[in-house]
Amino acid sequence: MSRVLLHTCCGVCAGHCVELLLEQGHEVAIFYSNANIAPAAEFAKRLEAVRALAAHFGVPVIVDEPDHRDWLEKVARGFEREPERGGRCPRCFRYSLERAARAARERGFDFFTTTLSVSPHKSSKTLFAIGEAIDAERFLEIDFKKRDGFKKTNAISRELRLYRQRYCGCEFSLRDALARERETGAARAETLTDAPADVERAGALLRAGALVAIPTETVYGLAANAFDETAVRRIFSAKGRPFIDPLIVHVHSFEQAAELADVSHPAVAKLAAAFWPGPLTLVLPKKPSVPAVVTAGEPTVAVRMPAHPLAQKILRAAGVPLAAPSANPFGYVSPTTAEHVLNSLGARIEAVADGGACVCGIESTIVFVGEKIRVLRLGVVTRERIAEALGGAFEVEIGKGLLEKKSEETPAAGTPEEGAQLAPGMLKKHYSPRAAVSLWESDAPTPEPGAKTALVFQARPAGNVPAAPGGAEIFWLSENGDQRDVARAVFALLRRLDESGFERILIERSPDFGVGAAVNDRLSRAAAK
């Protein structure tokens, strides 16, 4: 009786292969060696199915502890964009079969073979050539798909109710499987949590070039690997975003920021120490590693270290900086919950990580660091706080990234070109709901008759809520006018009013200082014609 070590990738594929080898009189052990599988939760699900199958047939399982980073380095590097069944796959076969051959020699098996040949999607000829090159004496050439092998193995898996995977194994095959589902209209972004397995899955998807919406303390961002130009271009496509509008790159540490940008300016360390992690973006001279599509062809890159704990976990799991504008169709109201993202982009992206409602509610403050310190976009980190953090060492002024342009004048697709903005959020019309927005101050206006109208106050009206003039419905952004509460609520309310079918929104301006100035910036752009 010959001892055969049977390499397998999953329980589904192994059923007929084990059955056939046992019928031929071999002593069989299953070798579960799959360093390619990502994330770890997927590896564990498949292993559970393999153990259930092994128990059914009464054979042992040998688990080869995976080193996915080693697999990424030795197999996937340089082949990340290869499609399924492309140049990456034979390298993966060799990696697994080399480990099976080594285990067979060390454990005294007479032969080794693989269940990979049972799949109609795998070339037995390729597998046999690899196996023979590794160890011609021990490798058994068995084409398990012959004589309805694939049909038989599926029947066994259904009988045993084994877990059936959606993709071959690696994050790149998962990316391609999800893309196929989107093309057929069957896909909707999966919702991930802060559970370790979900964090790892988000990181694996991002490394593979997928789009994952992540929570930050400001708004939800649509994230992609900032070094992967193809993935970054998908952000623009999913959002309908013009290429003249640069992206903010998110990092988990100051050291990672230094890989993207020149951080030598003395103001950078001061501002990072005061506000990172947090809602402050710094526009700095970029390094050559940053693709031009990220920066709209500009020599600078916008960098931020988010404070949201789930964003930090995903950044570390991905192992790469993440380009991430707001996760909404371009020009529309920014999302502050995972539900907002799913409702607008759920069919265009791979996943949404649900980290709850955003605590700031409006986008980060953007600061250009150069000869002068210029605040390009207002946020909850105010000009006064920035000046205080710099201790009077630098002049801080309010500036613009470029002469503002109406969004309809900007190209919707293409490549970085003239007219590029220095920072995002600089277009005149932005953050706009479908309803027409008008601003008011001091005295509430009387709505025009005929249109369903919302009258929005900064704070709850004193006493009993009065009847709105002209039949409008009354709303408020905070209980007492605290501008931090207003900022947290404004985008969510605009979206709710849109969903409720309001045609006009009459909204009270904030006090034009501190966080109120940032709220007014968003409201003015939302109301722009």
Side-chain angles (χ1 to χ4, degrees):
M1 178 184 292
S2 299
R3 300 183 68 225
V4 178
L5 187 65
L6 176 65
H7 163 262
T8 191
C9 60
C10 62
V12 173
C13 290
H16 169 64
C17 306
V18 173
E19 185 177 60
L20 181 63
L21 288 170
L22 290 175
E23 288 175 354
Q24 293 175 350
H26 299 294
E27 179 184 335
V28 180
I30 296 175
F31 186 56
Y32 184 67
S33 177
N34 298 284
N36 61 309
I37 294 178
E42 180 71 19
F43 182 93
K45 286 180 182 178
R46 298 191 194 191
L47 176 56
E48 182 180 0
V50 167
R51 284 178 167 152
L53 180 86
H56 174 75
F57 284 108
V59 300
V61 177
I62 299 170
V63 180
D64 184 24
E65 289 303 319
D67 185 343
H68 187 62
R69 294 201 176 276
D70 182 67
W71 181 88
L72 286 170
E73 181 64 30
K74 293 179 179 177
V75 175
R77 180 177 289 277
F79 292 81
E80 294 88 348
R81 304 310 309 183
E82 285 285 312
E84 191 73 17
R85 301 184 228 176
R88 185 180 60 250
C89 293
R91 295 166 59 88
C92 184
F93 301 157
R94 177 175 291 277
Y95 184 94
S96 294
L97 290 179
E98 283 177 347
R99 299 185 72 83
R102 186 182 309 118
R105 289 193 300 270
E106 292 174 352
R107 294 171 181 267
F109 284 86
D110 301 298
F111 302 103
F112 74 98
T113 190
T114 178
T115 68
L116 291 172
S117 68
V118 81
S119 170
H121 307 299
K122 305 288 191 295
S123 166
S124 295
K125 182 178 180 181
T126 300
L127 291 166
F128 295 166
I130 293 171
E132 286 188 13
I134 293 170
D135 190 338
E137 292 184 5
R138 280 191 172 85
F139 181 68
L140 280 181
E141 290 188 4
I142 304 178
D143 193 345
F144 287 110
K145 69 171 68 67
K146 287 187 174 180
R147 299 182 180 84
D148 289 330
F150 185 64
K151 183 177 179 181
K152 292 174 182 176
T153 205
N154 275 308
I156 293 170
S157 70
R158 284 192 295 270
E159 178 187 346
L160 299 180
R161 297 182 179 181
L162 300 180
Y163 168 71
R164 298 179 66 85
Q165 62 270 17
R166 298 165 62 194
Y167 61 103
C168 183
C170 67
E171 51 262 63
F172 310 104
S173 63
L174 173 58
R175 172 199 65 202
D176 293 345
L178 293 172
R180 289 191 295 272
E181 290 178 7
R182 284 198 309 276
E183 289 172 1
T184 61
R188 179 172 169 80
E190 63 177 312
T191 301
L192 305 175
T193 69
D194 62 354
D198 279 3
V199 171
E200 187 187 357
R201 184 173 179 84
L205 284 167
L206 288 161
R207 284 195 304 275
L211 301 185
V212 178
I214 64 172
T216 76
E217 66 278 16
T218 58
V219 299
Y220 274 71
L222 183 55
N225 178 354
F227 292 142
D228 185 338
E229 184 172 341
T230 301
V232 171
R233 286 182 177 276
R234 282 195 59 208
I235 291 177
F236 289 89
S237 176
K239 285 175 58 70
R241 183 185 181 97
F243 281 89
I244 65 164
D245 208 12
L247 306 178
I248 296 174
V249 181
H250 295 66
V251 298
H252 62 66
S253 65
F254 190 83
E255 291 73 23
Q256 194 174 47
E259 296 174 8
L260 304 166
D262 180 355
V263 296
S264 62
H265 193 293
V268 174
K270 289 179 179 290
L271 292 172
F275 302 113
W276 278 6
L280 179 71
T281 295
L282 300 179
V283 178
L284 307 169
K286 85 176 188 74
K287 290 189 173 178
S289 59
V290 181
V293 69
V294 172
T295 67
E298 292 292 302
T300 53
V301 61
V303 184
R304 181 163 95 85
M305 188 193 303
H308 196 292
L310 184 50
Q312 281 281 326
K313 290 177 183 178
I314 291 173
L315 277 160
R316 293 183 183 278
V320 291
L322 301 177
S326 57
N328 58 290
F330 182 73
Y332 191 60
V333 183
S334 297
T336 56
T337 67
E339 183 180 8
H340 291 163
V341 181
L342 287 167
N343 288 343
S344 58
L345 295 181
R348 306 181 196 175
I349 66 178
E350 281 76 11
V352 178
D354 189 348
C358 300
V359 296
C360 293
I362 60 173
E363 299 81 3
S364 63
T365 305
I366 299 180
V367 173
F368 177 82
V369 179
E371 292 183 8
K372 292 183 178 180
I373 308 301
R374 284 194 289 156
V375 179
L376 303 180
R377 182 175 73 185
L378 301 172
V380 295
V381 177
T382 63
R383 176 186 178 279
E384 293 76 18
R385 292 177 63 194
I386 291 167
E388 181 181 356
L390 294 174
F394 303 93
E395 180 183 352
V396 180
E397 62 179 28
I398 302 295
K400 294 181 180 179
L402 198 71
L403 181 65
E404 292 175 334
K405 298 184 176 185
K406 293 182 180 178
S407 59
E408 61 267 23
E409 295 175 354
T410 62
T415 55
E417 56 185 85
E418 287 189 30
Q421 309 293 307
L422 185 58
M426 305 303 299
L427 297 173
K428 181 178 180 180
K429 184 171 178 61
H430 213 38
Y431 318 114
S432 301
R434 292 182 293 276
V437 177
S438 298
L439 307 184
W440 60 274
E441 53 189 326
S442 300
D443 297 320
T446 300
E448 298 176 5
K452 185 177 181 181
T453 302
L455 183 61
V456 182
F457 291 83
Q458 289 281 312
R460 176 196 285 268
N464 294 327
V465 177
E473 295 184 42
I474 288 182
F475 301 86
W476 52 88
L477 291 164
S478 68
E479 289 296 314
N480 57 14
D482 186 317
Q483 288 304 297
R484 291 169 297 183
D485 293 338
V486 170
R488 190 178 301 119
V490 64
F491 283 158
L493 179 60
L494 289 177
R495 280 178 169 264
R496 181 156 62 92
L497 295 177
D498 245 3
E499 292 164 4
S500 299
F502 284 90
E503 300 168 77
R504 292 185 60 81
I505 301 172
L506 309 178
I507 188 165
E508 183 181 9
R509 286 176 58 87
S510 290
D512 208 19
F513 58 85
V515 177
V519 173
N520 282 340
D521 171 78
R522 305 310 190 274
L523 292 177
S524 297
R525 296 177 195 274
K529 306 301 182 184

Coordinates of all heavy atoms in Angstrom, one line a residue, residues 409-479:
E409 N -18.1 73.0 -15.3 CA -17.1 73.4 -16.2 C -15.9 72.4 -16.2 O -15.0 72.6 -17.0 CB -16.6 74.8 -15.9 CG -17.7 75.8 -16.1 CD -17.2 77.2 -15.7 OE1 -16.1 77.3 -15.2 OE2 -18.0 78.2 -15.9
T410 N -15.9 71.5 -15.3 CA -14.7 70.6 -15.2 C -15.0 69.3 -15.9 O -16.1 68.8 -15.9 CB -14.4 70.3 -13.7 OG1 -15.6 69.6 -13.2 CG2 -14.2 71.6 -12.9
P411 N -13.9 68.7 -16.4 CA -14.1 67.4 -17.2 C -14.5 66.3 -16.2 O -14.0 66.3 -15.1 CB -12.7 67.2 -17.8 CG -11.8 68.0 -16.9 CD -12.5 69.2 -16.5
A412 N -15.3 65.4 -16.7 CA -15.7 64.3 -15.8 C -14.8 63.1 -15.9 O -14.9 62.2 -15.2 CB -17.1 63.9 -16.2
A413 N -13.9 63.1 -16.9 CA -13.0 62.0 -17.0 C -11.8 62.5 -17.8 O -11.7 63.6 -18.3 CB -13.7 60.8 -17.8
G414 N -10.8 61.6 -17.8 CA -9.5 61.9 -18.5 C -8.3 61.8 -17.6 O -8.3 60.9 -16.8
T415 N -7.3 62.6 -17.8 CA -6.1 62.5 -17.1 C -5.8 63.9 -16.4 O -6.4 64.9 -16.8 CB -4.9 62.2 -18.0 OG1 -4.9 63.1 -19.0 CG2 -5.1 60.8 -18.6
P416 N -4.9 63.9 -15.4 CA -4.6 65.2 -14.8 C -4.2 66.2 -15.9 O -3.5 65.9 -16.8 CB -3.4 64.8 -13.9 CG -3.6 63.4 -13.6 CD -4.2 62.8 -14.8
E417 N -4.7 67.5 -15.7 CA -4.5 68.4 -16.8 C -4.5 69.8 -16.2 O -4.6 70.0 -15.0 CB -5.6 68.3 -17.8 CG -7.0 68.4 -17.3 CD -8.0 68.1 -18.3 OE1 -8.4 67.0 -18.5 OE2 -8.5 69.1 -18.9
E418 N -4.4 70.8 -17.0 CA -4.4 72.2 -16.6 C -5.7 72.5 -15.9 O -6.8 72.0 -16.2 CB -4.2 73.2 -17.8 CG -2.8 73.2 -18.3 CD -2.6 74.3 -19.3 OE1 -3.3 75.3 -19.2 OE2 -1.8 74.1 -20.3
G419 N -5.7 73.4 -14.9 CA -6.9 73.7 -14.1 C -7.0 72.8 -12.9 O -8.0 72.9 -12.2
A420 N -6.0 72.0 -12.6 CA -6.1 71.1 -11.5 C -6.2 71.9 -10.2 O -5.5 73.0 -10.1 CB -4.9 70.2 -11.4
Q421 N -6.9 71.4 -9.2 CA -7.0 72.1 -7.9 C -5.8 71.7 -7.1 O -5.3 70.6 -7.2 CB -8.3 71.7 -7.2 CG -9.6 71.8 -8.1 CD -9.9 73.3 -8.4 OE1 -10.0 74.1 -7.5 NE2 -10.1 73.6 -9.6
L422 N -5.5 72.6 -6.2 CA -4.4 72.3 -5.2 C -4.9 71.3 -4.1 O -4.1 70.6 -3.6 CB -3.8 73.6 -4.6 CG -2.6 73.5 -3.7 CD1 -1.4 72.8 -4.5 CD2 -2.2 74.9 -3.2
A423 N -6.2 71.4 -3.9 CA -6.7 70.6 -2.8 C -8.2 70.2 -3.1 O -8.8 71.0 -3.9 CB -6.7 71.3 -1.5
P424 N -8.7 69.2 -2.6 CA -10.1 68.8 -2.9 C -11.1 69.8 -2.2 O -10.7 70.5 -1.2 CB -10.3 67.4 -2.3 CG -9.2 67.3 -1.3 CD -8.1 68.1 -1.8
G425 N -12.3 69.8 -2.6 CA -13.3 70.6 -2.0 C -13.3 72.1 -2.3 O -13.8 73.0 -1.7
M426 N -12.6 72.4 -3.5 CA -12.4 73.8 -3.8 C -13.4 74.3 -4.9 O -13.4 75.5 -5.2 CB -11.0 74.1 -4.4 CG -9.9 73.6 -3.4 SD -10.0 74.4 -1.8 CE -9.8 76.1 -2.3
L427 N -14.2 73.4 -5.5 CA -15.1 73.8 -6.5 C -16.3 74.6 -5.9 O -16.7 74.4 -4.8 CB -15.7 72.6 -7.2 CG -14.6 71.7 -8.0 CD1 -15.2 70.5 -8.5 CD2 -14.0 72.6 -9.1
K428 N -16.8 75.5 -6.7 CA -17.8 76.5 -6.2 C -19.0 75.8 -5.8 O -19.6 76.0 -4.7 CB -18.1 77.5 -7.3 CG -19.1 78.6 -6.8 CD -19.4 79.6 -7.9 CE -20.4 80.6 -7.4 NZ -20.7 81.7 -8.4
K429 N -19.5 74.8 -6.6 CA -20.7 74.1 -6.2 C -20.3 72.7 -5.8 O -19.7 71.9 -6.5 CB -21.7 74.0 -7.4 CG -23.0 73.3 -7.0 CD -24.0 73.4 -8.2 CE -25.3 72.7 -7.8 NZ -26.0 73.2 -6.6
H430 N -20.7 72.3 -4.6 CA -20.3 71.0 -4.0 C -21.2 70.7 -2.9 O -22.0 71.5 -2.4 CB -18.8 71.2 -3.5 CG -18.0 69.9 -3.7 ND1 -18.1 69.1 -4.7 CD2 -17.0 69.4 -2.9 CE1 -17.2 68.1 -4.6 NE2 -16.6 68.2 -3.4
Y431 N -21.1 69.4 -2.4 CA -21.9 69.0 -1.2 C -23.4 69.2 -1.4 O -24.1 69.5 -0.4 CB -21.4 69.7 0.1 CG -19.9 69.9 0.2 CD1 -19.3 71.1 0.2 CD2 -19.1 68.8 0.4 CE1 -18.0 71.3 0.3 CE2 -17.7 68.9 0.6 CZ -17.2 70.2 0.5 OH -15.8 70.3 0.7
S432 N -23.9 69.1 -2.6 CA -25.2 69.6 -2.9 C -26.3 68.5 -2.9 O -26.1 67.5 -3.6 CB -25.3 70.3 -4.3 OG -24.4 71.4 -4.3
P433 N -27.4 68.6 -2.2 CA -28.5 67.7 -2.3 C -29.3 68.0 -3.6 O -29.0 68.9 -4.3 CB -29.4 68.0 -1.1 CG -29.1 69.5 -0.8 CD -27.7 69.7 -1.2
R434 N -30.2 67.1 -3.9 CA -31.0 67.3 -5.1 C -32.0 68.5 -4.9 O -32.3 69.2 -5.9 CB -31.8 66.0 -5.4 CG -31.0 64.9 -5.9 CD -31.8 63.7 -6.3 NE -32.4 63.1 -5.1 CZ -31.9 62.2 -4.2 NH1 -30.6 61.9 -4.5 NH2 -32.5 61.7 -3.2
A435 N -32.4 68.7 -3.7 CA -33.3 69.8 -3.4 C -32.5 71.2 -3.6 O -31.3 71.2 -3.3 CB -33.8 69.7 -2.0
A436 N -33.2 72.2 -3.9 CA -32.6 73.6 -4.0 C -32.4 74.1 -2.6 O -33.2 74.0 -1.8 CB -33.5 74.5 -4.8
V437 N -31.1 74.6 -2.4 CA -30.8 75.1 -1.0 C -30.6 76.6 -1.1 O -30.0 77.1 -2.0 CB -29.4 74.4 -0.6 CG1 -29.0 75.0 0.8 CG2 -29.6 72.9 -0.5
S438 N -31.2 77.3 -0.1 CA -31.0 78.7 0.1 C -30.7 79.0 1.5 O -31.1 78.3 2.4 CB -32.3 79.5 -0.3 OG -32.7 79.3 -1.6
L439 N -29.8 80.0 1.7 CA -29.4 80.3 3.1 C -30.1 81.6 3.6 O -30.4 82.5 2.8 CB -27.9 80.5 3.1 CG -27.0 79.4 2.5 CD1 -25.5 79.7 2.7 CD2 -27.4 78.0 3.2
W440 N -30.3 81.6 4.9 CA -30.9 82.8 5.5 C -30.2 83.1 6.8 O -29.6 82.2 7.4 CB -32.4 82.7 5.6 CG -32.8 81.6 6.5 CD1 -33.0 80.3 6.1 CD2 -33.1 81.6 7.9 NE1 -33.4 79.5 7.2 CE2 -33.5 80.3 8.3 CE3 -33.1 82.6 8.8 CZ2 -33.9 80.0 9.6 CZ3 -33.5 82.3 10.2 CH2 -33.9 81.0 10.5
E441 N -30.4 84.3 7.3 CA -29.9 84.7 8.6 C -30.8 85.7 9.2 O -31.6 86.4 8.5 CB -28.5 85.2 8.6 CG -28.2 86.3 7.6 CD -26.7 86.6 7.5 OE1 -26.0 86.4 8.5 OE2 -26.2 86.9 6.4
S442 N -30.8 85.9 10.5 CA -31.6 86.8 11.3 C -33.1 86.4 11.3 O -33.6 85.8 12.3 CB -31.5 88.2 10.8 OG -30.1 88.6 10.9
D443 N -33.8 86.7 10.2 CA -35.3 86.4 10.2 C -35.6 85.3 9.2 O -35.1 85.3 8.1 CB -36.0 87.7 9.8 CG -35.9 88.8 10.8 OD1 -35.9 88.5 12.0 OD2 -35.7 90.0 10.4
A444 N -36.4 84.3 9.7 CA -36.7 83.2 8.9 C -37.6 83.7 7.7 O -38.5 84.5 7.9 CB -37.5 82.2 9.7
P445 N -37.3 83.2 6.5 CA -38.0 83.7 5.3 C -39.4 83.0 5.2 O -39.6 81.9 5.8 CB -37.1 83.2 4.1 CG -36.4 82.0 4.7 CD -36.2 82.2 6.1
T446 N -40.2 83.5 4.4 CA -41.5 82.9 4.1 C -41.4 82.1 2.8 O -41.0 82.7 1.8 CB -42.6 84.0 3.9 OG1 -42.7 84.8 5.1 CG2 -43.9 83.3 3.5
P447 N -41.6 80.8 2.9 CA -41.4 80.0 1.7 C -42.3 80.3 0.6 O -43.5 80.7 0.8 CB -41.6 78.6 2.2 CG -41.5 78.6 3.7 CD -41.9 80.0 4.1
E448 N -41.9 80.1 -0.6 CA -42.8 80.2 -1.8 C -43.8 79.1 -1.8 O -43.5 78.0 -1.4 CB -42.0 80.2 -3.1 CG -40.9 81.3 -3.2 CD -40.1 81.2 -4.5 OE1 -40.4 80.3 -5.3 OE2 -39.2 82.0 -4.7
P449 N -45.0 79.4 -2.2 CA -46.0 78.3 -2.2 C -45.8 77.3 -3.3 O -45.1 77.6 -4.3 CB -47.3 79.1 -2.4 CG -46.9 80.3 -3.2 CD -45.5 80.7 -2.6
G450 N -46.3 76.1 -3.1 CA -46.2 75.1 -4.1 C -45.2 74.0 -4.0 O -45.4 72.9 -4.2
A451 N -44.0 74.4 -3.5 CA -42.9 73.4 -3.4 C -42.8 72.9 -1.9 O -43.0 73.6 -1.0 CB -41.6 74.0 -3.8
K452 N -42.6 71.6 -1.8 CA -42.4 71.0 -0.4 C -41.1 71.6 0.1 O -40.0 71.4 -0.4 CB -42.3 69.5 -0.5 CG -42.3 68.8 0.9 CD -42.3 67.3 0.7 CE -42.3 66.7 2.1 NZ -42.3 65.2 2.0
T453 N -41.2 72.3 1.3 CA -40.1 73.1 1.8 C -39.8 72.7 3.2 O -40.7 72.5 4.0 CB -40.4 74.6 1.7 OG1 -40.7 74.9 0.3 CG2 -39.3 75.5 2.2
A454 N -38.5 72.7 3.5 CA -38.0 72.5 4.8 C -37.3 73.8 5.3 O -36.5 74.4 4.6 CB -36.9 71.4 4.9
L455 N -37.7 74.2 6.5 CA -37.1 75.4 7.1 C -36.2 75.0 8.2 O -36.7 74.4 9.2 CB -38.2 76.4 7.6 CG -37.8 77.7 8.2 CD1 -37.1 78.6 7.2 CD2 -39.0 78.4 8.8
V456 N -34.9 75.2 8.1 CA -33.9 74.6 9.0 C -33.3 75.7 9.9 O -32.7 76.6 9.4 CB -32.9 73.8 8.3 CG1 -31.9 73.1 9.2 CG2 -33.5 72.7 7.4
F457 N -33.4 75.5 11.2 CA -32.8 76.4 12.2 C -31.4 75.8 12.7 O -31.3 74.6 12.7 CB -33.7 76.7 13.4 CG -34.9 77.5 13.0 CD1 -36.1 76.8 12.5 CD2 -35.0 78.8 13.3 CE1 -37.2 77.6 12.2 CE2 -36.1 79.6 12.9 CZ -37.2 78.9 12.4
Q458 N -30.6 76.7 13.1 CA -29.3 76.2 13.8 C -29.6 75.5 15.1 O -29.0 74.5 15.4 CB -28.4 77.4 14.0 CG -27.8 78.1 12.8 CD -26.6 77.3 12.3 OE1 -25.8 76.9 13.1 NE2 -26.6 77.0 11.0
A459 N -30.6 76.1 15.9 CA -30.9 75.5 17.2 C -32.4 75.3 17.3 O -33.2 75.9 16.6 CB -30.4 76.4 18.3
R460 N -32.8 74.4 18.2 CA -34.2 74.2 18.4 C -34.9 75.5 18.8 O -34.4 76.2 19.7 CB -34.4 73.2 19.6 CG -35.9 73.0 19.9 CD -36.0 72.3 21.3 NE -35.7 70.9 21.2 CZ -36.6 69.9 21.0 NH1 -37.9 70.2 20.8 NH2 -36.2 68.7 20.9
P461 N -36.0 75.9 18.2 CA -36.7 77.2 18.6 C -37.1 77.1 20.0 O -37.5 76.1 20.5 CB -37.9 77.2 17.6 CG -37.4 76.4 16.4 CD -36.6 75.3 17.0
A462 N -37.0 78.3 20.7 CA -37.4 78.3 22.1 C -38.8 78.1 22.3 O -39.7 78.4 21.5 CB -37.0 79.7 22.7
G463 N -39.2 77.4 23.4 CA -40.6 77.2 23.7 C -41.2 76.2 22.8 O -40.5 75.3 22.3
N464 N -42.5 76.3 22.6 CA -43.2 75.4 21.7 C -42.7 75.7 20.2 O -42.5 76.9 19.8 CB -44.7 75.6 21.8 CG -45.2 75.1 23.1 OD1 -44.7 74.2 23.7 ND2 -46.2 75.8 23.6
V465 N -42.5 74.7 19.4 CA -42.1 74.9 18.1 C -43.2 75.6 17.3 O -44.3 75.1 17.2 CB -41.8 73.5 17.4 CG1 -41.4 73.7 15.9 CG2 -40.6 72.8 18.1
P466 N -42.9 76.7 16.7 CA -43.9 77.5 16.0 C -44.3 76.9 14.7 O -43.6 76.1 14.2 CB -43.3 78.9 15.8 CG -41.8 78.5 15.7 CD -41.6 77.4 16.7
A467 N -45.5 77.2 14.3 CA -45.9 76.8 13.0 C -45.1 77.5 11.9 O -44.8 78.7 12.0 CB -47.4 77.1 12.7
A468 N -44.6 76.7 10.9 CA -43.7 77.3 9.9 C -44.6 78.2 8.9 O -45.7 77.8 8.6 CB -43.0 76.2 9.1
P469 N -44.1 79.3 8.5 CA -44.8 80.1 7.5 C -44.9 79.4 6.2 O -44.0 78.6 5.8 CB -44.0 81.4 7.4 CG -42.6 80.9 7.8 CD -42.8 79.9 8.8
G470 N -46.0 79.6 5.5 CA -46.1 79.0 4.1 C -46.3 77.5 4.1 O -46.0 77.0 3.0
G471 N -46.6 76.9 5.2 CA -46.7 75.4 5.2 C -45.4 74.7 5.2 O -45.5 73.4 4.9
A472 N -44.3 75.3 5.4 CA -43.0 74.6 5.4 C -43.0 73.7 6.7 O -43.7 74.0 7.7 CB -41.9 75.5 5.4
E473 N -42.1 72.7 6.7 CA -41.8 71.9 7.9 C -40.6 72.4 8.5 O -39.6 72.7 7.9 CB -41.7 70.4 7.5 CG -43.0 69.8 7.0 CD -42.9 68.3 6.7 OE1 -42.3 67.6 7.5 OE2 -43.4 67.9 5.7
I474 N -40.6 72.4 9.9 CA -39.4 73.0 10.6 C -38.5 71.8 11.1 O -38.9 70.8 11.6 CB -39.9 73.8 11.8 CG1 -40.6 75.1 11.3 CG2 -38.8 74.1 12.8 CD1 -41.1 76.0 12.4
F475 N -37.2 72.1 11.0 CA -36.1 71.2 11.5 C -35.1 72.0 12.1 O -35.0 73.3 11.9 CB -35.5 70.4 10.3 CG -36.5 69.5 9.5 CD1 -37.2 70.1 8.5 CD2 -36.7 68.2 9.9 CE1 -38.1 69.3 7.8 CE2 -37.6 67.4 9.2 CZ -38.3 68.0 8.1
W476 N -34.2 71.4 12.9 CA -33.1 72.1 13.5 C -31.9 71.2 13.6 O -32.0 70.0 13.6 CB -33.4 72.7 14.9 CG -34.0 71.7 15.9 CD1 -33.4 70.9 16.7 CD2 -35.4 71.4 16.0 NE1 -34.3 70.1 17.4 CE2 -35.5 70.4 17.0 CE3 -36.6 71.9 15.5 CZ2 -36.7 69.9 17.5 CZ3 -37.8 71.4 15.9 CH2 -37.9 70.4 16.9
L477 N -30.7 71.8 13.6 CA -29.4 71.1 13.6 C -28.8 70.8 14.9 O -27.9 69.9 15.0 CB -28.4 71.9 12.7 CG -28.8 72.0 11.2 CD1 -27.9 73.0 10.6 CD2 -28.5 70.6 10.6
S478 N -29.3 71.4 16.0 CA -28.8 71.2 17.3 C -29.8 71.7 18.3 O -30.8 72.4 18.0 CB -27.4 71.9 17.5 OG -27.7 73.3 17.5
E479 N -29.6 71.3 19.6 CA -30.5 71.7 20.6 C -30.2 73.2 21.0 O -31.1 73.9 21.3 CB -30.3 70.8 21.9 CG -30.9 69.4 21.7 CD -32.4 69.5 21.5 OE1 -33.1 70.2 22.2 OE2 -32.8 68.8 20.5

